[in-house]
Amino acid sequence: MCLGAALGACAGAGGGGGYVAVGGAGRSGPVDASPTGSVTMVPLDGPKGGGTTSPGSAGSPSGATGSGPGPAQADNGPVPSTPDRPSPTGTSTGAGAGSGAGDGRTTPAPAPPDPTPAPTAPPAPAALSWGEPVTADGDQRWCQKVTVGFRNSGGTAVRSGSVTFGTHVIGALGIDWSTVRTSEALPVPIGAGARTDHTWTVCLDAWRVPLGMHIETRDLSVQWK
């Protein structure tokens, strides 16, 4: 104050009049720096947009760090945050193992459909075979019992047929004088894979076999279907 008064005196001595500022303009004393409006608190490590705006707030201070609420937040108040959606609890065992169930179990993948069955081949035709004739003496010299074995190795039964015998007339000295053929019916049916034996009595005319001669059935042929 004394120094100011001295400087004022010097200035006044120079003429022209002058003014010396001895204090700050306006009110004196400590300055109140508190804000006049509401304050928005924004946490530095919180989620984006997680601040709270007081009702009637005019906005956030220009020096606040982070993103403040949008216009809708400023007009309508705070917007509640949405909790994070929990992750599914089911487990997966891979694409080929099946789908996961809620309790951790897995559902097996469906079995592939059965392949189309191959068409069934038709049964093989009948195939008849026979053995050599087995002979025995009959009641008369011009008759003879003949037994033949048959076998059907095919896939279909023999339904009909006939067997033809070749009967030879043998003289007293073993000379083969003639051969007479006679036919008889087959013992049908003969099933697929079946075997059967049958005995016929083959007789010739009595005059063909004179006294002292006999007959022998040595060969045969078969017709069948």
Side-chain angles (χ1 to χ4, degrees):
M1 296 291 288
C2 294
L3 180 58
L7 291 176
C10 294
Y19 299 93
V20 177
V22 295
R27 65 181 180 179
S28 60
V31 178
D32 185 7
S34 59
T36 59
S38 61
V39 178
T40 301
M41 305 300 293
V42 179
L44 297 180
D45 55 351
K48 185 175 180 181
T52 304
T53 304
S54 302
S57 172
S60 60
S62 59
T65 303
S67 301
Q73 295 177 348
D75 296 339
N76 302 326
V79 177
S81 60
T82 303
D84 295 338
R85 189 182 299 274
S87 60
T89 59
T91 59
S92 175
T93 58
S99 58
D103 56 357
R105 295 177 297 179
T106 58
T107 302
D114 294 336
T116 303
T120 304
L128 188 64
S129 58
W130 52 90
E132 295 293 330
V134 177
T135 61
D137 294 338
D139 297 336
Q140 305 292 334
R141 66 177 184 273
W142 54 84
C143 293
Q144 192 175 35
K145 294 180 180 179
V146 182
T147 302
V148 181
F150 298 93
R151 180 183 178 186
N152 181 10
S153 58
T156 306
V158 176
R159 302 295 181 183
S160 62
S162 62
V163 53
T164 301
F165 299 102
T167 303
H168 300 256
V169 178
I170 307 300
L173 298 178
I175 299 174
D176 189 349
W177 290 95
S178 62
T179 301
V180 179
R181 300 191 179 277
T182 57
S183 296
E184 299 289 343
L186 279 175
V188 292
I190 303 175
R195 178 183 175 87
T196 184
D197 296 336
H198 192 75
T199 301
W200 292 270
T201 299
V202 178
C203 294
L204 301 182
D205 296 329
W207 62 268
R208 292 181 178 274
V209 186
L211 185 62
M213 294 186 179
H214 67 278
I215 60 173
E216 293 181 6
T217 302
R218 298 178 178 177
D219 50 82
L220 60 88
S221 61
V222 178
Q223 299 292 328
W224 52 269
K225 61 180 179 179

PDB file of all heavy atoms in Angstrom, residues 168-202:
ATOM      1  N   HIS A 168     -32.034-157.373 -74.110  1.00  0.00           N
ATOM      2  CA  HIS A 168     -31.410-158.263 -75.089  1.00  0.00           C
ATOM      3  C   HIS A 168     -31.882-159.709 -74.833  1.00  0.00           C
ATOM      4  O   HIS A 168     -31.997-160.143 -73.689  1.00  0.00           O
ATOM      5  CB  HIS A 168     -29.885-158.197 -74.972  1.00  0.00           C
ATOM      6  CG  HIS A 168     -29.331-156.819 -75.223  1.00  0.00           C
ATOM      7  ND1 HIS A 168     -28.703-156.498 -76.399  1.00  0.00           N
ATOM      8  CD2 HIS A 168     -29.332-155.677 -74.453  1.00  0.00           C
ATOM      9  CE1 HIS A 168     -28.308-155.224 -76.338  1.00  0.00           C
ATOM     10  NE2 HIS A 168     -28.683-154.724 -75.166  1.00  0.00           N
ATOM     11  N   VAL A 169     -32.075-160.408 -75.985  1.00  0.00           N
ATOM     12  CA  VAL A 169     -32.458-161.832 -75.907  1.00  0.00           C
ATOM     13  C   VAL A 169     -31.168-162.636 -76.101  1.00  0.00           C
ATOM     14  O   VAL A 169     -30.507-162.529 -77.147  1.00  0.00           O
ATOM     15  CB  VAL A 169     -33.501-162.192 -76.977  1.00  0.00           C
ATOM     16  CG1 VAL A 169     -33.850-163.683 -76.899  1.00  0.00           C
ATOM     17  CG2 VAL A 169     -34.744-161.331 -76.802  1.00  0.00           C
ATOM     18  N   ILE A 170     -30.811-163.411 -75.069  1.00  0.00           N
ATOM     19  CA  ILE A 170     -29.551-164.132 -75.075  1.00  0.00           C
ATOM     20  C   ILE A 170     -29.851-165.649 -75.239  1.00  0.00           C
ATOM     21  O   ILE A 170     -30.695-166.211 -74.516  1.00  0.00           O
ATOM     22  CB  ILE A 170     -28.786-163.890 -73.766  1.00  0.00           C
ATOM     23  CG1 ILE A 170     -28.651-162.375 -73.523  1.00  0.00           C
ATOM     24  CG2 ILE A 170     -27.422-164.565 -73.796  1.00  0.00           C
ATOM     25  CD1 ILE A 170     -27.911-161.638 -74.605  1.00  0.00           C
ATOM     26  N   GLY A 171     -29.123-166.260 -76.175  1.00  0.00           N
ATOM     27  CA  GLY A 171     -29.298-167.696 -76.420  1.00  0.00           C
ATOM     28  C   GLY A 171     -28.566-168.537 -75.387  1.00  0.00           C
ATOM     29  O   GLY A 171     -27.851-168.017 -74.508  1.00  0.00           O
ATOM     30  N   ALA A 172     -28.739-169.860 -75.538  1.00  0.00           N
ATOM     31  CA  ALA A 172     -28.129-170.795 -74.589  1.00  0.00           C
ATOM     32  C   ALA A 172     -26.618-170.730 -74.623  1.00  0.00           C
ATOM     33  O   ALA A 172     -25.938-170.964 -73.611  1.00  0.00           O
ATOM     34  CB  ALA A 172     -28.609-172.201 -74.884  1.00  0.00           C
ATOM     35  N   LEU A 173     -26.003-170.391 -75.769  1.00  0.00           N
ATOM     36  CA  LEU A 173     -24.548-170.317 -75.887  1.00  0.00           C
ATOM     37  C   LEU A 173     -24.014-168.902 -75.645  1.00  0.00           C
ATOM     38  O   LEU A 173     -22.849-168.632 -75.895  1.00  0.00           O
ATOM     39  CB  LEU A 173     -24.131-170.794 -77.268  1.00  0.00           C
ATOM     40  CG  LEU A 173     -24.490-172.268 -77.583  1.00  0.00           C
ATOM     41  CD1 LEU A 173     -24.075-172.635 -79.011  1.00  0.00           C
ATOM     42  CD2 LEU A 173     -23.832-173.205 -76.583  1.00  0.00           C
ATOM     43  N   GLY A 174     -24.896-167.980 -75.162  1.00  0.00           N
ATOM     44  CA  GLY A 174     -24.457-166.609 -74.882  1.00  0.00           C
ATOM     45  C   GLY A 174     -24.524-165.678 -76.066  1.00  0.00           C
ATOM     46  O   GLY A 174     -23.964-164.575 -76.003  1.00  0.00           O
ATOM     47  N   ILE A 175     -25.167-166.165 -77.121  1.00  0.00           N
ATOM     48  CA  ILE A 175     -25.276-165.324 -78.312  1.00  0.00           C
ATOM     49  C   ILE A 175     -26.411-164.329 -78.110  1.00  0.00           C
ATOM     50  O   ILE A 175     -27.500-164.691 -77.666  1.00  0.00           O
ATOM     51  CB  ILE A 175     -25.513-166.179 -79.557  1.00  0.00           C
ATOM     52  CG1 ILE A 175     -24.333-167.138 -79.760  1.00  0.00           C
ATOM     53  CG2 ILE A 175     -25.726-165.311 -80.768  1.00  0.00           C
ATOM     54  CD1 ILE A 175     -24.551-168.116 -80.891  1.00  0.00           C
ATOM     55  N   ASP A 176     -26.164-163.044 -78.453  1.00  0.00           N
ATOM     56  CA  ASP A 176     -27.161-161.966 -78.368  1.00  0.00           C
ATOM     57  C   ASP A 176     -27.951-161.979 -79.675  1.00  0.00           C
ATOM     58  O   ASP A 176     -27.472-161.520 -80.714  1.00  0.00           O
ATOM     59  CB  ASP A 176     -26.468-160.617 -78.151  1.00  0.00           C
ATOM     60  CG  ASP A 176     -27.444-159.494 -77.837  1.00  0.00           C
ATOM     61  OD1 ASP A 176     -28.669-159.701 -77.995  1.00  0.00           O
ATOM     62  OD2 ASP A 176     -26.988-158.403 -77.429  1.00  0.00           O
ATOM     63  N   TRP A 177     -29.167-162.534 -79.605  1.00  0.00           N
ATOM     64  CA  TRP A 177     -29.949-162.703 -80.810  1.00  0.00           C
ATOM     65  C   TRP A 177     -30.688-161.433 -81.225  1.00  0.00           C
ATOM     66  O   TRP A 177     -30.788-161.152 -82.415  1.00  0.00           O
ATOM     67  CB  TRP A 177     -30.955-163.843 -80.617  1.00  0.00           C
ATOM     68  CG  TRP A 177     -30.296-165.191 -80.544  1.00  0.00           C
ATOM     69  CD1 TRP A 177     -29.937-165.867 -79.433  1.00  0.00           C
ATOM     70  CD2 TRP A 177     -29.920-165.984 -81.646  1.00  0.00           C
ATOM     71  NE1 TRP A 177     -29.343-167.059 -79.741  1.00  0.00           N
ATOM     72  CE2 TRP A 177     -29.324-167.169 -81.134  1.00  0.00           C
ATOM     73  CE3 TRP A 177     -30.012-165.854 -83.040  1.00  0.00           C
ATOM     74  CZ2 TRP A 177     -28.827-168.199 -81.934  1.00  0.00           C
ATOM     75  CZ3 TRP A 177     -29.521-166.905 -83.828  1.00  0.00           C
ATOM     76  CH2 TRP A 177     -28.938-168.038 -83.277  1.00  0.00           C
ATOM     77  N   SER A 178     -31.175-160.683 -80.280  1.00  0.00           N
ATOM     78  CA  SER A 178     -31.941-159.479 -80.631  1.00  0.00           C
ATOM     79  C   SER A 178     -32.023-158.548 -79.409  1.00  0.00           C
ATOM     80  O   SER A 178     -31.748-158.953 -78.273  1.00  0.00           O
ATOM     81  CB  SER A 178     -33.350-159.822 -81.113  1.00  0.00           C
ATOM     82  OG  SER A 178     -34.079-160.466 -80.079  1.00  0.00           O
ATOM     83  N   THR A 179     -32.454-157.295 -79.703  1.00  0.00           N
ATOM     84  CA  THR A 179     -32.664-156.299 -78.633  1.00  0.00           C
ATOM     85  C   THR A 179     -34.055-155.716 -78.798  1.00  0.00           C
ATOM     86  O   THR A 179     -34.405-155.225 -79.887  1.00  0.00           O
ATOM     87  CB  THR A 179     -31.617-155.158 -78.685  1.00  0.00           C
ATOM     88  OG1 THR A 179     -30.301-155.721 -78.545  1.00  0.00           O
ATOM     89  CG2 THR A 179     -31.883-154.140 -77.600  1.00  0.00           C
ATOM     90  N   VAL A 180     -34.818-155.751 -77.735  1.00  0.00           N
ATOM     91  CA  VAL A 180     -36.191-155.230 -77.743  1.00  0.00           C
ATOM     92  C   VAL A 180     -36.267-154.046 -76.767  1.00  0.00           C
ATOM     93  O   VAL A 180     -35.800-154.135 -75.617  1.00  0.00           O
ATOM     94  CB  VAL A 180     -37.197-156.331 -77.341  1.00  0.00           C
ATOM     95  CG1 VAL A 180     -38.609-155.760 -77.345  1.00  0.00           C
ATOM     96  CG2 VAL A 180     -37.069-157.528 -78.256  1.00  0.00           C
ATOM     97  N   ARG A 181     -36.877-152.969 -77.249  1.00  0.00           N
ATOM     98  CA  ARG A 181     -36.983-151.756 -76.408  1.00  0.00           C
ATOM     99  C   ARG A 181     -38.424-151.585 -75.936  1.00  0.00           C
ATOM    100  O   ARG A 181     -39.359-151.677 -76.716  1.00  0.00           O
ATOM    101  CB  ARG A 181     -36.529-150.527 -77.170  1.00  0.00           C
ATOM    102  CG  ARG A 181     -35.069-150.655 -77.630  1.00  0.00           C
ATOM    103  CD  ARG A 181     -34.511-149.353 -78.158  1.00  0.00           C
ATOM    104  NE  ARG A 181     -33.127-149.513 -78.556  1.00  0.00           N
ATOM    105  CZ  ARG A 181     -32.068-149.466 -77.757  1.00  0.00           C
ATOM    106  NH1 ARG A 181     -32.250-149.272 -76.442  1.00  0.00           N
ATOM    107  NH2 ARG A 181     -30.852-149.634 -78.224  1.00  0.00           N
ATOM    108  N   THR A 182     -38.541-151.293 -74.645  1.00  0.00           N
ATOM    109  CA  THR A 182     -39.843-151.029 -74.014  1.00  0.00           C
ATOM    110  C   THR A 182     -39.725-149.750 -73.166  1.00  0.00           C
ATOM    111  O   THR A 182     -38.627-149.410 -72.669  1.00  0.00           O
ATOM    112  CB  THR A 182     -40.263-152.195 -73.114  1.00  0.00           C
ATOM    113  OG1 THR A 182     -39.255-152.429 -72.125  1.00  0.00           O
ATOM    114  CG2 THR A 182     -40.472-153.463 -73.915  1.00  0.00           C
ATOM    115  N   SER A 183     -40.829-149.054 -73.028  1.00  0.00           N
ATOM    116  CA  SER A 183     -40.835-147.781 -72.287  1.00  0.00           C
ATOM    117  C   SER A 183     -41.743-147.866 -71.068  1.00  0.00           C
ATOM    118  O   SER A 183     -42.795-148.511 -71.102  1.00  0.00           O
ATOM    119  CB  SER A 183     -41.297-146.630 -73.191  1.00  0.00           C
ATOM    120  OG  SER A 183     -40.378-146.426 -74.248  1.00  0.00           O
ATOM    121  N   GLU A 184     -41.332-147.165 -70.001  1.00  0.00           N
ATOM    122  CA  GLU A 184     -42.098-147.071 -68.767  1.00  0.00           C
ATOM    123  C   GLU A 184     -42.081-145.601 -68.304  1.00  0.00           C
ATOM    124  O   GLU A 184     -41.192-144.814 -68.670  1.00  0.00           O
ATOM    125  CB  GLU A 184     -41.507-147.962 -67.675  1.00  0.00           C
ATOM    126  CG  GLU A 184     -41.472-149.448 -68.004  1.00  0.00           C
ATOM    127  CD  GLU A 184     -42.846-150.078 -68.008  1.00  0.00           C
ATOM    128  OE1 GLU A 184     -43.789-149.469 -67.458  1.00  0.00           O
ATOM    129  OE2 GLU A 184     -42.988-151.189 -68.563  1.00  0.00           O
ATOM    130  N   ALA A 185     -43.067-145.235 -67.494  1.00  0.00           N
ATOM    131  CA  ALA A 185     -43.146-143.852 -66.993  1.00  0.00           C
ATOM    132  C   ALA A 185     -42.169-143.643 -65.830  1.00  0.00           C
ATOM    133  O   ALA A 185     -41.904-144.541 -65.024  1.00  0.00           O
ATOM    134  CB  ALA A 185     -44.569-143.558 -66.528  1.00  0.00           C
ATOM    135  N   LEU A 186     -41.649-142.422 -65.751  1.00  0.00           N
ATOM    136  CA  LEU A 186     -40.754-142.064 -64.641  1.00  0.00           C
ATOM    137  C   LEU A 186     -41.544-141.953 -63.332  1.00  0.00           C
ATOM    138  O   LEU A 186     -42.729-141.585 -63.336  1.00  0.00           O
ATOM    139  CB  LEU A 186     -40.075-140.721 -64.917  1.00  0.00           C
ATOM    140  CG  LEU A 186     -38.846-140.730 -65.835  1.00  0.00           C
ATOM    141  CD1 LEU A 186     -38.396-139.293 -66.091  1.00  0.00           C
ATOM    142  CD2 LEU A 186     -37.721-141.555 -65.231  1.00  0.00           C
ATOM    143  N   PRO A 187     -40.913-142.234 -62.217  1.00  0.00           N
ATOM    144  CA  PRO A 187     -41.588-142.071 -60.916  1.00  0.00           C
ATOM    145  C   PRO A 187     -41.597-140.591 -60.487  1.00  0.00           C
ATOM    146  O   PRO A 187     -40.833-140.181 -59.599  1.00  0.00           O
ATOM    147  CB  PRO A 187     -40.746-142.948 -59.985  1.00  0.00           C
ATOM    148  CG  PRO A 187     -39.381-142.896 -60.584  1.00  0.00           C
ATOM    149  CD  PRO A 187     -39.561-142.812 -62.054  1.00  0.00           C
ATOM    150  N   VAL A 188     -42.423-139.797 -61.131  1.00  0.00           N
ATOM    151  CA  VAL A 188     -42.458-138.358 -60.859  1.00  0.00           C
ATOM    152  C   VAL A 188     -43.496-138.059 -59.778  1.00  0.00           C
ATOM    153  O   VAL A 188     -44.421-138.874 -59.561  1.00  0.00           O
ATOM    154  CB  VAL A 188     -42.777-137.595 -62.169  1.00  0.00           C
ATOM    155  CG1 VAL A 188     -41.622-137.728 -63.144  1.00  0.00           C
ATOM    156  CG2 VAL A 188     -44.083-138.070 -62.796  1.00  0.00           C
ATOM    157  N   PRO A 189     -43.403-136.908 -59.111  1.00  0.00           N
ATOM    158  CA  PRO A 189     -42.341-135.902 -59.307  1.00  0.00           C
ATOM    159  C   PRO A 189     -41.079-136.262 -58.549  1.00  0.00           C
ATOM    160  O   PRO A 189     -41.123-136.920 -57.510  1.00  0.00           O
ATOM    161  CB  PRO A 189     -42.964-134.628 -58.744  1.00  0.00           C
ATOM    162  CG  PRO A 189     -43.885-135.119 -57.663  1.00  0.00           C
ATOM    163  CD  PRO A 189     -44.435-136.428 -58.152  1.00  0.00           C
ATOM    164  N   ILE A 190     -39.972-135.789 -59.097  1.00  0.00           N
ATOM    165  CA  ILE A 190     -38.672-135.916 -58.433  1.00  0.00           C
ATOM    166  C   ILE A 190     -38.248-134.489 -58.086  1.00  0.00           C
ATOM    167  O   ILE A 190     -37.921-133.689 -58.970  1.00  0.00           O
ATOM    168  CB  ILE A 190     -37.632-136.606 -59.337  1.00  0.00           C
ATOM    169  CG1 ILE A 190     -38.149-137.983 -59.775  1.00  0.00           C
ATOM    170  CG2 ILE A 190     -36.308-136.747 -58.606  1.00  0.00           C
ATOM    171  CD1 ILE A 190     -37.225-138.686 -60.773  1.00  0.00           C
ATOM    172  N   GLY A 191     -38.285-134.149 -56.809  1.00  0.00           N
ATOM    173  CA  GLY A 191     -38.034-132.781 -56.371  1.00  0.00           C
ATOM    174  C   GLY A 191     -36.604-132.326 -56.590  1.00  0.00           C
ATOM    175  O   GLY A 191     -35.693-133.122 -56.862  1.00  0.00           O
ATOM    176  N   ALA A 192     -36.420-130.983 -56.472  1.00  0.00           N
ATOM    177  CA  ALA A 192     -35.078-130.409 -56.624  1.00  0.00           C
ATOM    178  C   ALA A 192     -34.160-130.947 -55.522  1.00  0.00           C
ATOM    179  O   ALA A 192     -34.478-130.919 -54.338  1.00  0.00           O
ATOM    180  CB  ALA A 192     -35.161-128.883 -56.535  1.00  0.00           C
ATOM    181  N   GLY A 193     -33.012-131.507 -55.944  1.00  0.00           N
ATOM    182  CA  GLY A 193     -32.051-132.080 -55.009  1.00  0.00           C
ATOM    183  C   GLY A 193     -32.438-133.445 -54.468  1.00  0.00           C
ATOM    184  O   GLY A 193     -31.747-133.968 -53.594  1.00  0.00           O
ATOM    185  N   ALA A 194     -33.512-134.041 -54.963  1.00  0.00           N
ATOM    186  CA  ALA A 194     -33.989-135.328 -54.434  1.00  0.00           C
ATOM    187  C   ALA A 194     -33.349-136.495 -55.180  1.00  0.00           C
ATOM    188  O   ALA A 194     -32.874-136.370 -56.313  1.00  0.00           O
ATOM    189  CB  ALA A 194     -35.512-135.412 -54.547  1.00  0.00           C
ATOM    190  N   ARG A 195     -33.345-137.626 -54.496  1.00  0.00           N
ATOM    191  CA  ARG A 195     -32.842-138.887 -55.089  1.00  0.00           C
ATOM    192  C   ARG A 195     -33.868-139.981 -54.824  1.00  0.00           C
ATOM    193  O   ARG A 195     -34.423-140.060 -53.723  1.00  0.00           O
ATOM    194  CB  ARG A 195     -31.487-139.262 -54.476  1.00  0.00           C
ATOM    195  CG  ARG A 195     -30.931-140.580 -54.994  1.00  0.00           C
ATOM    196  CD  ARG A 195     -29.625-140.932 -54.293  1.00  0.00           C
ATOM    197  NE  ARG A 195     -29.164-142.246 -54.720  1.00  0.00           N
ATOM    198  CZ  ARG A 195     -28.415-142.481 -55.788  1.00  0.00           C
ATOM    199  NH1 ARG A 195     -28.023-141.465 -56.550  1.00  0.00           N
ATOM    200  NH2 ARG A 195     -28.031-143.691 -56.122  1.00  0.00           N
ATOM    201  N   THR A 196     -34.092-140.817 -55.816  1.00  0.00           N
ATOM    202  CA  THR A 196     -35.076-141.893 -55.655  1.00  0.00           C
ATOM    203  C   THR A 196     -34.662-143.114 -56.469  1.00  0.00           C
ATOM    204  O   THR A 196     -33.975-142.978 -57.499  1.00  0.00           O
ATOM    205  CB  THR A 196     -36.482-141.426 -56.086  1.00  0.00           C
ATOM    206  OG1 THR A 196     -37.427-142.466 -55.834  1.00  0.00           O
ATOM    207  CG2 THR A 196     -36.523-141.059 -57.548  1.00  0.00           C
ATOM    208  N   ASP A 197     -35.033-144.262 -55.997  1.00  0.00           N
ATOM    209  CA  ASP A 197     -34.827-145.528 -56.715  1.00  0.00           C
ATOM    210  C   ASP A 197     -36.201-146.123 -57.044  1.00  0.00           C
ATOM    211  O   ASP A 197     -37.128-146.052 -56.239  1.00  0.00           O
ATOM    212  CB  ASP A 197     -34.036-146.525 -55.857  1.00  0.00           C
ATOM    213  CG  ASP A 197     -32.616-146.043 -55.563  1.00  0.00           C
ATOM    214  OD1 ASP A 197     -32.101-145.217 -56.348  1.00  0.00           O
ATOM    215  OD2 ASP A 197     -32.052-146.479 -54.537  1.00  0.00           O
ATOM    216  N   HIS A 198     -36.259-146.728 -58.229  1.00  0.00           N
ATOM    217  CA  HIS A 198     -37.534-147.331 -58.629  1.00  0.00           C
ATOM    218  C   HIS A 198     -37.265-148.646 -59.370  1.00  0.00           C
ATOM    219  O   HIS A 198     -36.261-148.774 -60.091  1.00  0.00           O
ATOM    220  CB  HIS A 198     -38.315-146.400 -59.546  1.00  0.00           C
ATOM    221  CG  HIS A 198     -39.720-146.831 -59.762  1.00  0.00           C
ATOM    222  ND1 HIS A 198     -40.707-146.687 -58.817  1.00  0.00           N
ATOM    223  CD2 HIS A 198     -40.316-147.442 -60.828  1.00  0.00           C
ATOM    224  CE1 HIS A 198     -41.827-147.138 -59.284  1.00  0.00           C
ATOM    225  NE2 HIS A 198     -41.628-147.638 -60.508  1.00  0.00           N
ATOM    226  N   THR A 199     -38.166-149.619 -59.155  1.00  0.00           N
ATOM    227  CA  THR A 199     -38.026-150.946 -59.771  1.00  0.00           C
ATOM    228  C   THR A 199     -39.216-151.225 -60.687  1.00  0.00           C
ATOM    229  O   THR A 199     -40.375-151.035 -60.296  1.00  0.00           O
ATOM    230  CB  THR A 199     -37.943-152.040 -58.693  1.00  0.00           C
ATOM    231  OG1 THR A 199     -36.829-151.778 -57.841  1.00  0.00           O
ATOM    232  CG2 THR A 199     -37.784-153.413 -59.322  1.00  0.00           C
ATOM    233  N   TRP A 200     -38.887-151.642 -61.917  1.00  0.00           N
ATOM    234  CA  TRP A 200     -39.918-152.041 -62.885  1.00  0.00           C
ATOM    235  C   TRP A 200     -39.764-153.533 -63.195  1.00  0.00           C
ATOM    236  O   TRP A 200     -38.658-154.091 -63.087  1.00  0.00           O
ATOM    237  CB  TRP A 200     -39.760-151.280 -64.197  1.00  0.00           C
ATOM    238  CG  TRP A 200     -40.053-149.803 -64.119  1.00  0.00           C
ATOM    239  CD1 TRP A 200     -41.241-149.199 -64.319  1.00  0.00           C
ATOM    240  CD2 TRP A 200     -39.106-148.768 -63.853  1.00  0.00           C
ATOM    241  NE1 TRP A 200     -41.121-147.846 -64.192  1.00  0.00           N
ATOM    242  CE2 TRP A 200     -39.812-147.550 -63.912  1.00  0.00           C
ATOM    243  CE3 TRP A 200     -37.741-148.752 -63.572  1.00  0.00           C
ATOM    244  CZ2 TRP A 200     -39.194-146.320 -63.702  1.00  0.00           C
ATOM    245  CZ3 TRP A 200     -37.133-147.533 -63.362  1.00  0.00           C
ATOM    246  CH2 TRP A 200     -37.867-146.335 -63.421  1.00  0.00           C
ATOM    247  N   THR A 201     -40.850-154.124 -63.626  1.00  0.00           N
ATOM    248  CA  THR A 201     -40.804-155.492 -64.152  1.00  0.00           C
ATOM    249  C   THR A 201     -40.945-155.410 -65.659  1.00  0.00           C
ATOM    250  O   THR A 201     -41.989-155.016 -66.185  1.00  0.00           O
ATOM    251  CB  THR A 201     -41.926-156.357 -63.563  1.00  0.00           C
ATOM    252  OG1 THR A 201     -41.765-156.421 -62.129  1.00  0.00           O
ATOM    253  CG2 THR A 201     -41.867-157.767 -64.131  1.00  0.00           C
ATOM    254  N   VAL A 202     -39.846-155.718 -66.342  1.00  0.00           N
ATOM    255  CA  VAL A 202     -39.815-155.621 -67.806  1.00  0.00           C
ATOM    256  C   VAL A 202     -40.080-157.010 -68.386  1.00  0.00           C
ATOM    257  O   VAL A 202     -39.364-157.977 -68.055  1.00  0.00           O
ATOM    258  CB  VAL A 202     -38.456-155.083 -68.285  1.00  0.00           C
ATOM    259  CG1 VAL A 202     -38.402-155.015 -69.807  1.00  0.00           C
ATOM    260  CG2 VAL A 202     -38.166-153.710 -67.656  1.00  0.00           C
TER     261      VAL A 202
END
